[in-house]
Amino acid sequence: MDEYYILIPKSLNLEQRLSKFPPDFELSRDYCYYFISELIKQVSNQNCSDEFKDFHTATTHFTSRCAGINQSIYRNSRLHIDYLYQDFGGEGRMLWRHNYKPGSCYSYYLPKYYWGDGELELICIREKALVEKVRKINKPSVDNAVRKHLNFTIQYFDTKRIELDHKSPLNELYLDYKRTGDYAKYLKNAVMIQNLKNNGFHFHYNPETDGRLHTALSQFPKIGRKYLKYDGEHIAEVDLSSSVPFFLAYLLSLPASSKSAVLHAHLPHSENLLYHYMLVESSVSPSTKEIADFRELVLNNQLYESFMTSFMDLQNFDSGFENMFGREFDGDEDELRKYTKKRLLSMFFAHQKEYKQEQTVFYSYFPTIYQLIKKYKQAKFQGVSKFERHKRFSHLLFQLESHFMLNIIAREINNKFKRKIPFFTLHDCLMVRESDLEQAYELMNEIFIREIGYAPNMTKKVWK
């Protein structure tokens, strides 16, 4: 492909600069746009903390770009960057720059004037030699673990079959930024749209941590999903409702006599996680009644509802809800359920020092299950600091989830239909073409019942 999409501010007016102050060399507009877009892309990678959320902070710090890298991409890069840096009367600089010093590369940022109100757009560059080099350095990466364990999933990321109307999701992302004020999130999601538009299908998988397959689609912003198509069809999903609680209930409910063998079959790469779990469970001995009650709530899709009133009565509810939704609670039960779900799952996976009030509520409902979770998150793991131990609980449940979604369900669909049903996984979701939705739903339900005797609640949704 002799084209490549890049992000630039909508208000960037390079043509005005060129017409008023023509350069004395043959300037490449494509390289100028590309260089500026790379600054934006690097800013999006750096701005992951709360301090970078507002527009001014996110866009006013210098980003390093080493001269050697610039030169390797475009031979006359220095002339172009110097032209953008030059302070023309009445026009000013298009770039601010910190010069090179030992141990530090040149660094740049785009002045506020050129950012305008912050809205970005995707434009296409077509200078053949430049596009070839840019595509080469942005070549999609595939973890060896993916090739070894999940190579069959790669084949469905077919650039000729995936379509994206990029203007619409970028517009919605910008409107979302204007509502939330989170510019760092807007930047990050805009770059994800850019990557997908350029067929940047990267694959990451670590079977020893969360066990999840991370792809361009699993990281794609939710707002933009309805603008994706495959073979000209909308994409649809089969989603496991209360996935994490479902697999926790499954884990707790396994018969003691076969639990160790079953778990080792499910998680062959996680002997350390399983050993500590069996050790903790034997010391706590969670109540059979609690396990049955917890499982019943999950299978009836009532777990989050059962905590809604209790969480609403907590002292931190008003501030927590406002932080999540940007306004006070107005009685909307759907929003209350979303809030409760987020707080409960966050409590499950956070360090014991966090979500203290939610822990107290959960303990009042399920004291022995609470003790099991607490002890497991505090268990000593060789080579793991005490500040990281709690993460092993999320790894255990995510790996169970991924085992079923990737190694059982996705693999069986792949083997049975021989690419006639293309699919993608999004952690606890299976994504298929709209025309394949019903068949995928029925098959997933059958597989769960066959494998464990019952199925989770599942929802179907077409991305429109």
Side-chain angles (χ1 to χ4, degrees):
M1 293 176 64
D2 293 332
E3 61 180 28
Y4 191 83
Y5 288 88
I6 58 172
L7 278 170
I8 61 168
K10 263 193 172 182
S11 62
L12 187 73
N13 193 343
L14 178 61
E15 294 303 322
Q16 175 179 297
R17 186 181 186 85
L18 291 173
S19 63
K20 291 173 66 175
F21 303 98
D24 57 3
F25 64 96
E26 186 178 348
L27 180 137
S28 165
R29 288 169 170 79
D30 278 4
Y31 179 72
C32 290
Y33 285 130
Y34 169 74
F35 183 83
I36 291 169
S37 76
E38 282 298 287
L39 297 182
I40 292 172
K41 191 173 181 179
Q42 286 181 247
V43 166
S44 75
N45 291 334
Q46 296 168 359
N47 295 346
C48 53
S49 63
D50 288 346
E51 65 181 296
F52 288 108
K53 280 187 175 183
D54 74 276
F55 174 61
H56 176 76
T57 308
T59 58
T60 55
H61 61 96
F62 286 88
T63 301
S64 295
R65 289 288 296 175
C66 292
I69 295 175
N70 298 333
Q71 186 73 11
S72 69
I73 296 171
Y74 204 80
R75 186 180 60 183
N76 291 328
S77 63
R78 182 173 178 179
L79 286 175
H80 288 71
I81 295 169
D82 284 346
Y83 173 77
L84 297 176
Y85 176 66
Q86 193 167 346
D87 188 0
F88 294 115
E91 184 71 18
R93 305 184 193 276
M94 189 167 261
L95 292 177
W96 287 102
R97 178 171 71 190
H98 278 163
N99 289 332
Y100 166 84
K101 57 184 178 181
S104 177
C105 296
Y106 285 99
S107 57
Y108 308 84
Y109 84 80
L110 192 68
K112 181 180 178 182
Y113 170 79
Y114 294 103
W115 283 96
D117 56 6
E119 187 170 7
L120 303 173
E121 65 177 343
L122 274 180
I123 66 169
C124 190
I125 59 173
R126 292 185 171 88
E127 191 173 325
K128 186 174 180 181
L130 174 61
V131 169
E132 286 178 354
K133 287 187 178 180
V134 169
R135 285 199 172 279
K136 187 175 181 179
I137 63 175
N138 289 287
K139 186 178 180 180
S141 61
V142 183
D143 284 358
N144 287 335
V146 176
R147 296 191 187 279
K148 183 177 179 181
H149 300 288
L150 300 168
N151 197 51
F152 70 92
T153 63
I154 298 174
Q155 62 190 325
Y156 299 107
F157 288 80
D158 188 333
T159 59
K160 296 178 181 178
R161 303 173 75 178
I162 297 176
E163 306 167 39
L164 171 63
D165 165 21
H166 64 273
K167 292 183 180 179
S168 298
L170 276 176
N171 182 57
E172 286 205 34
L173 287 171
Y174 182 71
L175 293 176
D176 183 63
Y177 150 63
K178 298 297 283 186
R179 180 181 62 83
T180 65
D182 191 342
Y183 196 73
K185 179 182 176 183
Y186 170 60
L187 275 177
K188 183 178 179 181
N189 285 332
V191 169
M192 289 181 183
I193 289 175
Q194 176 194 355
N195 289 343
L196 190 65
K197 192 66 178 176
N198 289 319
N199 305 318
F201 299 126
H202 302 280
F203 299 83
H204 173 70
Y205 169 68
N206 189 338
E208 296 180 0
T209 55
D210 64 4
R212 288 177 158 181
L213 177 63
H214 299 272
T215 69
L217 287 181
S218 68
Q219 298 169 333
F220 195 72
K222 193 172 184 179
I223 285 176
R225 292 176 186 171
K226 59 178 175 260
Y227 302 107
L228 282 167
K229 288 187 177 180
Y230 196 93
D231 292 341
E233 292 187 46
H234 287 286
I235 294 176
E237 68 175 41
V238 182
D239 177 43
L240 274 58
S241 301
S242 304
S243 177
V244 166
F246 173 80
F247 285 105
L248 175 57
Y250 169 67
L251 178 66
L252 293 167
S253 302
L254 282 169
S257 58
S258 60
K259 181 171 292 193
S260 180
V262 170
L263 290 178
H264 275 88
H266 288 338
L267 307 175
H269 307 288
S270 305
E271 290 187 9
N272 202 19
L273 289 176
L274 298 180
Y275 169 77
H276 283 86
Y277 176 80
M278 298 302 295
L279 203 63
V280 168
E281 188 182 77
S282 65
S283 67
V284 173
S285 298
S287 160
T288 303
K289 184 179 185 307
E290 281 185 37
I291 294 172
D293 290 346
F294 183 80
R295 176 178 151 176
E296 183 178 2
L297 285 173
V298 172
L299 295 181
N300 290 330
N301 207 23
Q302 290 294 311
L303 180 67
Y304 303 128
E305 284 78 0
S306 68
F307 286 96
M308 281 166 46
T309 301
S310 297
F311 277 18
M312 189 170 58
D313 290 338
L314 295 176
Q315 292 179 350
N316 61 7
F317 173 74
D318 290 337
S319 59
F321 187 91
E322 190 164 350
N323 286 337
M324 183 172 174
F325 292 97
R327 53 181 170 74
E328 294 181 354
F329 177 59
D330 61 4
D332 188 314
E333 289 202 358
D334 286 339
E335 290 184 344
L336 180 58
R337 187 182 189 278
K338 290 177 183 177
Y339 172 82
T340 303
K341 176 182 177 179
K342 182 175 181 180
R343 301 295 289 195
L344 186 65
L345 295 182
S346 297
M347 180 210 73
F348 278 158
F349 296 150
H351 194 280
Q352 288 299 118
K353 293 181 179 179
E354 301 179 79
Y355 298 94
K356 287 284 192 180
Q357 294 183 44
E358 287 79 7
Q359 288 183 53
T360 301
V361 172
F362 188 78
Y363 177 83
S364 69
Y365 282 77
F366 302 106
T368 61
I369 296 177
Y370 169 83
Q371 288 295 341
L372 184 148
I373 295 172
K374 179 181 177 180
K375 283 198 171 186
Y376 188 75
K377 290 201 288 187
Q378 293 174 336
K380 294 181 180 180
F381 283 77
Q382 186 174 1
V384 179
S385 75
K386 64 180 180 179
F387 304 107
E388 299 288 319
R389 292 173 190 164
H390 64 282
K391 294 181 180 180
R392 294 308 189 265
F393 184 64
S394 64
H395 292 169
L396 178 64
L397 295 181
F398 286 154
Q399 285 186 33
L400 271 175
E401 173 191 88
S402 297
H403 171 72
F404 276 90
M405 295 301 297
L406 294 169
N407 292 311
I408 297 180
I409 292 171
R411 197 177 293 277
E412 182 165 325
I413 292 175
N414 181 67
N415 293 338
K416 183 174 182 178
F417 293 98
K418 308 296 182 184
R419 298 190 69 178
K420 292 180 181 178
I421 295 185
F423 63 85
F424 310 96
T425 58
L426 201 168
H427 309 326
D428 61 351
C429 289
L430 191 73
M431 300 177 286
V432 294
R433 294 173 303 197
E434 183 178 1
S435 60
D436 296 321
L437 178 59
E438 294 300 328
Q439 194 171 8
Y441 179 88
E442 294 299 328
L443 188 59
M444 286 177 65
N445 192 67
E446 290 172 10
I447 292 173
F448 271 110
I449 291 174
R450 183 193 70 210
E451 292 292 322
I452 63 177
Y454 52 91
N457 290 284
M458 296 187 293
T459 58
K460 294 175 287 186
K461 181 179 180 181
V462 179
W463 294 351
K464 288 185 179 179

